[in-house]
Each structure stands twice: as C-alpha cells, then as structure tokens.
Amino acid sequence: MTIPAPSSTTVDLSKWEIVIGLEVHAELATATKLFSAAPQLFGAAPNTNIDPLTLGLPGSLPVLNEQAVELAIRVGLALNCTVQRSVFARKNYFYPDLPKDYQISQYDQPIDIDGWLELPSGKHVGIERAHLEEDTGKSTHAGDTGRLQGASSSLVDYNRAGVPLLEIVSRPDLRDADQARAYVSELRSILVAVGASDGKMEEGSMRVDCNVSVRPQGSDTLGTRCEIKNVNSLRSLGRAVDYEAARQVDLIEGGGTVRQETRHWNENDGRTHTLRVKEEADDYRYFTDPDLVPCDPGDEWIERVRAELPVLPAARRARLVGATGGGGEGVAIVVERGLDGLVLAAIEAGADAGRALTHAEHNLSDERSAELDPSAFAKLVGMEIDGKLSATQAKTVLATLVAEGGDPAEVAAAAGFEAMDTSELEGIVDGLIEANPAEWARFCGGDQKVTGFFVGQVMRATKGQADGKVVTQLLNARKG
Ligand code: ADP
Ligand code: MG
C-alpha cells in the first residue's frame, strides 16, 4: 500500500506493520446523568439540563445511577469481559467545561475487564477494559475558526456535563484502517443491540480516540504511539489511520523518531496535527472519590443481566449463515441493517433462502424494510422462483411492498406484471429460432454471446415480461 505522505511524496508501507488500539467513549442511553437526576437529552437549549451537582456547587453529593451500571454490565458481558467490583476516582484537572475541576472516572478498578469482540471477518479483538466516567460540558469558541486561538469569546454549555460515558479500550490488536473501521462498526452494533447507546457518531454518542504506531514487519515490540482525537466518522477514522501511519513511517525512514503525543485529525486538510505532548497519567493526581462507595454489582445482578442479553450481532450472523448457506459481506450487511429477523421469518414462511438473502442485501436498503411483512416477502420470493416474476419485476414489487405494504400478487397485477405462460414463451422462442437460423447455428456452436441476442428479442416481444433466466433455459433445452 502506498499513501500520500506529509512531504507530498509517497510512503511505501510494505515493510511496516500498523498497530492500532481504539478508545471509544459511548454515551449511555440513561434517562438521567451518572451521579444526579438532571436529565440527559441531546439537542436541548444550552444550560437547561443542569442541577447543583452538574455545576459542581458546594455541598452537592453524587449518587450513582443504577441504570448506567446496568448498561455497563450489559456491555461488559456482551464484550465477553469479566464484570467486577469497581471504584470511582477523581481525575483532577482544570478546564472551563469541567466545573468541579475534576472528572469522576473509574481508574485502576474499572467495572469491565479482559474481554474481546469478534469482527465479521472472524478476527478477535481484545478488550482491555471498559470503565464508567462522566462526560464534560461543551465549550464553543466564538470566532472564524471555532478554535480557542483567535476566538473573541468562549461560551460553555453544561448540559453534557455529568452524562454517563462508558470508555471502552481495545488492546492494540488492529492492523489496518479497514479493521479499525470494522471494529467500531461492530462495537456500535453491539451497543445498539444491548440498548446501551443509540450509536450515533454524528451526534457524539460515540466518540473515538485512535492510537496508532508502526513497527517493521515481523517485529513483536510495539512502536511509540500517537493518540488521534476528533475522528467523528468511520470515514475519518480510516483516513486518519492511513495518514498517521504514513507520517510516522516517513519520519522514521528520514532518521527521526516518533514522539508520543496527542494529535488532532483535521478533516479539511486530511492531516493530523500536534495537539499536546502526552501528559503523564500521574499529573491527574488520581485518588479514590471519598463521596462514593465502591460499586459491587454482585453475582445475582450480573447473572440476571447475562440471562437477559439479546442475541448479539456475531451470533446473528452465524445463525443467518446457518439458515441461508450464504456468507461473507452479504450476511454482515443484512445483520447490520437489522434485517436478519425478516429473512429468517421469510424462510420460515417458505421463501427460498438464497433469494431472500440476496433481496435483503441488495434491494432492501430502505429504512422501513424491517417492517416488511415476512409472509408477503416470502410470497414474492416464491413468485419469482416460480418464474411468475422476473428478477427486475420482483425488485419493483418489493419496493412497493416496503413503501405501501399489500399483497405481492395484487401489486404485481396492478403493475401489469402478468405471469408469463411458459408455453407462450416457448412459442416465441421457437419463432425466433426459425427466423434467425444463422444466430441459432452460432448458439448451437457454443457462442455464448448470441444468448444475449435471443434474450433481448424475447424481451422485446414480451415487453420485458419474460424472465431472462427462463429464456436461457429454454434456449439450452432446444439446443439439446
Ligand atoms: P491513555 O490513558 O494514555 O490513553 P489507555 O491505556 O487509556 O492510555 O489507552 C491506550 C490505548 O492505546 C489502548 O487502546 C491500547 O490498545 C492502545 N495502545 C497502547 N500502546 C499502543 C501502541 N504502541 N500502538 C498502538 N496502540 C497502542
Ligand atoms: Mg485513555
């Protein structure tokens, strides 16, 4: 792989291995904040979802949100983690959007440790830990750039301050941009499946920090990493990884060394820029928060949550593979869209499995598709398999069923998709063979290209109502 480098030459990455570890912050879908009853609601007017605790007013005391713990347990179990007794610490630093001057976060005793998730490719990615912490408020810098430098004033909105976050930290197991994207998208599906988050990256419900290092192929020691902030979409994540790896290789091959630092991804120039040289963790003066007792959910709670977990995306993919014999990307797409239940129900109702899966992959991208009636879907697939509808006609009928519902036979009839009688079709084929002896001789001689000629003629004669596959079958049968 070659990628444009900072020096505008290209960097050859073939002798290098990219190593990526991701820290994903997911806002938990609770009704209220992590330590108070202030509501959490995206898009509310500034400084309306607040209370004394959110503002860090003296005398206010935190009370742990049970729903946030429940969601953290769900995610932990879904990620094959051990769920353990955890402790809240204060991470001390000053920032205008952090009114208490410290963030409450789990530090050396997080709630979830040591898990993994499986990518659609089958690769396992280790999960180091997932810990609960509170979100900060949001600063807005008034000015042309939106950055602090050069701003005429800054505004702060505390609505987000105290919103529960689960920070999910992967092991450095990812090896390229595609894997990094697949990891985030799988994690998002899992968070959504267990009801922990709405997974909306565009609303900041999921935020990704991306650690990247490079090392010579074959080496088993880790290179120095940079942590990239502000990757707000899967596309940015891929671009940031590629750019950053090329930057590091370029630096090392030029005789330099990578400095451990935090960098900022700039979507506009497609580059990462130094934000700050990585602070030592000690600078935060972590200590156990004296206002909170340890959080120990205990076996009974954990086992109750485990028993209630829904079927997770990896298992749903496996189930769909089992039911359809299909595999790979199609199955992953269908599960990602949440259409696996529809396909399974349609198969149950008698639909051809392969055909149902193909439709779900290619012709059901409409958001309303999940509400499609499985028996109507099955009936449509049946009409297609029986040759009553061509593939193109089936696709059209399907779009109508998704948009308006109804019965496939009636929709097909209303669209003028009359069932083609096979004997009628045979007559047309025979007529064409007789009228085009030269083409027919070529076809019989094995010239595949004339198949298209005959199919095209049949389509013209039937105004597109014939099924191309059936015509080809008839031609081959005539050839003997
Ligand atoms: P920090 O608090 O400095 O962000 P964390 O332990 O929270 O450190 O996160 C470290 C993240 O960086 C993890 O996702 C881990 O997998 C990843 N990581 C650690 N070392 C490397 C490395 N050499 N290259 C790439 N990623 C790394
Ligand atoms: Mg971190």
Side-chain angles (χ1 to χ4, degrees):
M1 179 171 46
T2 58
I3 282 162
S7 55
S8 86
T9 58
T10 54
V11 174
D12 180 5
L13 291 182
S14 58
K15 294 193 183 66
W16 296 86
E17 181 173 56
I18 309 176
V19 175
I20 306 155
L22 298 178
E23 298 163 74
V24 173
H25 291 83
E27 280 182 355
L28 294 175
T30 53
T32 56
K33 294 190 177 178
L34 185 53
F35 299 113
S36 83
Q40 74 134 325
L41 209 78
F42 182 79
N47 295 309
T48 53
N49 295 344
I50 56 170
D51 61 4
L53 192 101
T54 304
L55 297 178
L57 299 185
S60 56
L61 286 170
V63 179
L64 181 58
N65 182 333
E66 183 179 343
Q67 197 193 1
V69 177
E70 163 107 12
L71 295 180
I73 297 173
R74 274 193 217 164
V75 174
L77 295 177
L79 295 176
N80 307 291
C81 291
T82 302
V83 179
Q84 62 171 12
R85 175 184 184 274
S86 57
V87 171
F88 289 96
R90 290 187 181 180
K91 181 181 181 180
N92 298 281
Y93 65 101
F94 170 78
Y95 206 74
D97 61 20
L98 187 76
K100 298 191 303 298
D101 283 356
Y102 61 83
Q103 178 193 27
I104 305 177
S105 173
Q106 297 183 327
Y107 181 50
D108 52 359
Q109 296 178 67
I111 183 160
D112 304 320
I113 55 164
D114 254 342
W116 49 269
L117 70 68
E118 184 181 314
L119 302 183
S121 65
K123 181 186 169 73
H124 280 210
V125 181
I127 306 289
E128 200 174 294
R129 63 172 197 273
H131 64 259
L132 279 165
E133 62 184 29
E134 48 177 0
D135 208 345
T136 58
K138 224 174 185 168
S139 300
T140 304
H141 306 297
D144 295 341
T145 61
R147 308 285 305 265
L148 181 59
Q149 291 84 353
S152 53
S153 61
S154 291
L155 302 163
V156 62
D157 174 7
Y158 291 118
N159 281 351
R160 203 180 65 182
V163 163
L165 292 178
L166 191 67
E167 177 174 340
I168 302 151
V169 181
S170 86
R171 296 200 186 279
D173 289 349
L174 300 158
R175 291 293 174 267
D176 60 33
D178 283 345
Q179 286 183 8
R181 277 197 304 257
Y183 169 83
V184 172
S185 121
E186 186 65 15
L187 185 56
R188 178 170 58 189
S189 304
I190 292 171
L191 291 171
V192 172
V194 302
S197 163
D198 63 19
K200 290 182 183 162
M201 283 185 91
E202 65 283 7
E203 289 184 4
S205 303
M206 255 181 94
R207 305 194 289 271
V208 180
D209 296 339
C210 171
N211 296 272
V212 177
S213 65
V214 295
R215 63 182 175 192
Q217 288 281 6
S219 159
D220 54 12
T221 48
L222 291 171
T224 303
R225 71 183 154 118
C226 288
E227 180 175 349
I228 309 165
K229 302 273 185 193
N230 194 43
V231 279
N232 299 328
S233 67
L234 292 182
R235 181 168 176 270
S236 300
L237 175 62
R239 292 177 73 205
V241 165
D242 283 341
Y243 173 82
E244 180 60 17
R247 185 189 73 85
Q248 293 181 11
V249 167
D250 194 45
L251 195 65
I252 298 168
E253 287 186 341
T257 48
V258 175
R259 182 173 58 162
Q260 187 173 340
E261 61 186 7
T262 305
R263 298 179 68 86
H264 174 91
W265 168 250
N266 184 328
E267 186 61 44
N268 298 324
D269 67 5
R271 293 173 178 223
T272 62
H273 301 269
T274 300
L275 201 62
R276 54 181 181 266
V277 176
K278 190 77 192 172
E279 323 89 323
E280 284 300 312
D282 289 349
D283 281 351
Y284 291 122
R285 303 292 193 273
Y286 281 100
F287 66 89
T288 302
D289 192 310
D291 292 338
L292 288 158
V293 294
C295 167
D296 189 356
D299 290 345
E300 206 175 307
W301 190 1
I302 296 170
E303 290 318 311
R304 200 249 306 140
V305 173
R306 195 192 304 275
E308 287 171 8
L309 278 185
V311 186
L312 297 168
R316 284 162 53 191
R317 287 193 297 269
R319 194 168 60 179
L320 197 55
V321 168
T324 61
E329 202 147 330
V331 164
I333 290 172
V334 170
V335 170
E336 169 84 33
R337 286 197 193 132
L339 296 177
D340 46 324
L342 171 69
V343 172
L344 292 172
I347 294 170
E348 185 85 351
D352 176 81
R355 213 44 231 156
L357 182 68
T358 305
H359 276 304
E361 181 189 351
H362 296 288
N363 305 326
L364 290 176
S365 56
D366 188 297
E367 270 185 13
R368 296 165 293 183
S369 300
E371 279 124 62
L372 185 62
D373 172 18
S375 58
F377 183 31
K379 188 168 170 187
L380 169 86
V381 172
M383 290 168 69
E384 189 186 353
I385 293 285
D386 292 346
K388 292 182 185 138
L389 290 175
S390 68
T392 320
Q393 290 171 335
K395 192 174 156 178
T396 310
V397 173
L398 194 54
T400 309
L401 291 177
V402 169
E404 297 163 20
D407 175 74
E410 284 169 21
V411 172
F417 299 156
E418 289 299 321
M420 265 313 292
D421 188 43
T422 310
S423 64
E424 192 183 333
L425 204 54
E426 281 175 340
I428 295 171
V429 168
D430 289 337
L432 282 169
I433 290 174
E434 220 173 282
N436 301 283
E439 283 77 5
W440 180 243
R442 277 170 58 202
F443 181 83
C444 293
D447 186 348
Q448 292 295 322
K449 277 175 283 180
V450 271
T451 313
F453 164 78
F454 282 110
V455 173
Q457 292 293 316
V458 175
M459 287 299 177
R460 185 175 308 174
T462 61
K463 299 198 177 63
Q465 285 192 29
D467 185 333
K469 256 195 313 210
V470 176
V471 176
T472 310
Q473 277 163 13
L474 287 176
L475 287 167
N476 284 322
R478 292 291 179 281
K479 194 168 83 175

